Amino acid sequence: MTDRIAHVRLSSVVLPLADPISDAKVLTGRQRPMTEVVFLFTEIVSAAGHEGIGFSYSKRAGGPGQFAHAREIAPGLIGEDPADIGRIWTKLTWAGASVGRSGLAVQAIAAIDVALWDLKAKRAGLPLAKLLGAYRDSVRTYNTSGGFLHTPVDEVIENARSSLAAGIGGVKLKVGQPDWRQDIARVTAVREALDPDVPLMVDANQQWDRATAMRMGRLFEPFGLVWIEEPLDAYDAEGHANLARALDTPIATGEMLSSVAEHVRLIDAGAADIVQPDAPRIGGITQFLKLAAYAEHRQLEIAPHFAMEIHLHLAAAYPIEPWVEHFDWLAPLFNERLETRGGRMYVSERPGLGITLTEQARAWTVGTAEFGRRP
């Protein structure tokens, strides 16, 4: 029986971070330390009483813009069949056609798109991974939040041990210090402090030039890294491809791209051994599934960026064994927790994404907009 979207609520939520976060972009003066993350939440209710929740996010800037764009296009949702997710995505894209099909425009749509998929899975009584067709009930996971450059190396080691004790499988370290010797020293200290079988990754956050990236890549070869992430500018497909051909260590990149088309260019150039798409950044789950199909066709691994509450389900439904990034930053926003054990993150049996907003998230809300009426 055909259902209809009856009510839409948009919320702009500002999540404060306990400590200012610094990576290589801060050390090069390109960005300031990050003190908060701004989320765009969409809550959708259908005439039959089915509900869905989705989110997008912005770091440092863009949050108010995402909220403003979503507020402009959201009225077009009322009266639509929530099952027609692909058609709705196209409708919303055309509603904002003058601002393009990437970046902020599709990130605003992403929060809506994710909510529609959450609603669809809940209506089916299935976790989203099961609705999509899961290949596994758990995914390899690694921690990033304990390895930022502002963190002293002794604390990085302690954070790594705590993550491993909590059932997380791998550890990612930020690199890109002005003095390259500090990068080598930090990675050496962590590698020597942990079991040699612990998967270790590094992330330069786009801050090396081509020559530096090649030199650093060769210096890192003896560490047996799972990957080197974003050694170059996110849009330097040729440079990344040169590294991928020259180094034994896999190259991972893609998190900063904001459309499927940009990822396809990266893949076609041979620029990534491991693709790191971010569903909220490229337009939601509908777009992520298109990219995942292409990445599978090219026999590439994926390691989705951030937003593990969404990406766990998408990674579980990807044929080639993936990774999911564990971040505890979002914990205050959701009542539920994701289970990690034995180096893996497990899909819960809760329908949909399996998340509900906390009262604290409601308290951090700085703007709302509502359309239609609740049934």
Side-chain angles (χ1 to χ4, degrees):
M1 182 177 179
T2 299
D3 198 1
R4 298 294 175 187
I5 297 173
H7 182 260
V8 178
R9 176 186 171 91
L10 306 175
S11 303
S12 180
V13 176
V14 178
L15 169 68
L17 299 178
D19 299 302
I21 302 299
S22 294
D23 57 27
K25 298 187 295 293
V26 174
L27 298 187
T28 57
R30 291 175 173 173
Q31 290 186 335
R32 57 181 173 79
M34 183 165 53
T35 58
E36 63 187 27
V37 182
V38 181
F39 288 83
L40 169 63
F41 282 97
T42 300
E43 296 167 90
I44 295 175
V45 183
S46 75
H50 300 294
E51 299 188 16
I53 184 170
F55 66 89
S56 189
Y57 71 93
S58 182
K59 298 176 181 177
R60 293 185 175 88
Q66 289 181 4
F67 179 68
H69 189 72
R71 189 172 52 199
E72 285 190 290
I73 61 177
L77 292 166
I78 303 303
E80 289 285 353
D81 185 339
D84 296 340
I85 302 177
R87 192 177 67 79
I88 291 172
W89 197 94
T90 300
K91 176 181 180 178
L92 297 178
T93 304
W94 278 107
S98 66
V99 290
R101 299 184 184 183
S102 65
L104 184 150
V106 299
Q107 290 160 12
I109 296 173
I112 297 167
D113 183 81
V114 172
L116 290 171
W117 279 101
D118 182 53
L119 186 154
K120 192 169 192 173
K122 286 176 179 172
R123 185 168 60 185
L126 296 170
L128 177 61
K130 292 290 187 181
L131 180 75
L132 296 175
Y135 283 83
R136 58 193 67 83
D137 63 3
S138 67
V139 179
R140 293 180 297 181
T141 186
Y142 69 96
N143 179 265
T144 294
S145 52
F148 279 87
L149 290 180
H150 67 278
T151 309
V153 68
D154 290 346
E155 189 175 334
V156 170
I157 292 170
E158 183 56 36
N159 290 342
R161 288 172 172 158
S162 297
S163 294
L164 297 172
I168 297 168
V171 174
K172 188 169 79 177
L173 307 176
K174 297 292 185 174
V175 293
Q177 301 270 4
D179 181 353
W180 61 271
R181 297 173 186 83
Q182 293 183 36
D183 284 336
I184 300 300
R186 284 168 68 91
V187 175
T188 300
V190 175
R191 173 50 87 200
E192 291 179 348
L194 304 179
D195 186 291
D197 292 331
V198 171
L200 198 63
M201 307 84 161
V202 299
D203 181 0
N205 288 107
Q206 309 179 72
Q207 296 310 292
W208 290 329
D209 58 31
R210 289 185 179 185
T212 301
M214 189 67 74
R215 284 196 298 268
M216 294 302 294
R218 287 173 174 150
L219 288 171
F220 280 130
E221 294 276 44
F223 291 97
L225 301 175
V226 179
W227 69 66
I228 298 172
E229 183 171 332
E230 284 195 325
L232 300 170
D233 183 274
Y235 292 89
D236 185 2
E238 181 181 7
H240 278 102
N242 290 338
L243 290 173
R245 285 190 295 268
L247 301 176
D248 291 334
T249 306
I251 298 299
T253 190
E255 70 176 62
M256 295 303 297
L257 305 184
S258 61
S259 70
V260 173
E262 292 168 359
H263 277 279
V264 168
R265 177 175 176 269
L266 196 77
I267 291 170
D268 286 349
D273 300 297
I274 299 165
V275 185
Q276 297 183 296
D278 184 319
R281 281 184 174 165
I282 65 172
I285 292 170
T286 298
Q287 297 302 98
F288 188 102
L289 295 176
K290 294 177 181 179
L291 174 57
Y294 191 64
E296 180 199 354
H297 172 68
R298 299 298 295 268
Q299 289 296 296
L300 295 172
E301 292 185 40
I302 66 168
H305 169 255
F306 202 58
M308 63 186 184
E309 294 78 8
I310 298 171
H311 290 135
L312 171 60
H313 294 271
L314 303 181
Y318 188 70
I320 302 168
E321 181 74 28
W323 287 89
V324 168
E325 187 172 27
H326 185 282
F327 264 96
D328 54 12
W329 295 357
L330 278 60
L333 299 175
F334 304 117
N335 292 306
E336 300 77 15
R337 295 293 176 267
L338 296 175
E339 180 186 3
T340 56
R341 53 185 167 85
R344 303 181 71 86
M345 186 183 296
Y346 282 77
V347 177
S348 79
E349 296 183 357
R350 298 185 295 270
L353 294 175
I355 57 174
T356 56
L357 289 177
T358 61
E359 289 304 313
Q360 180 62 76
R362 302 290 185 190
W364 283 331
T365 299
V366 296
T368 61
E370 298 191 51
F371 308 93
R373 288 192 292 179
R374 293 184 66 91

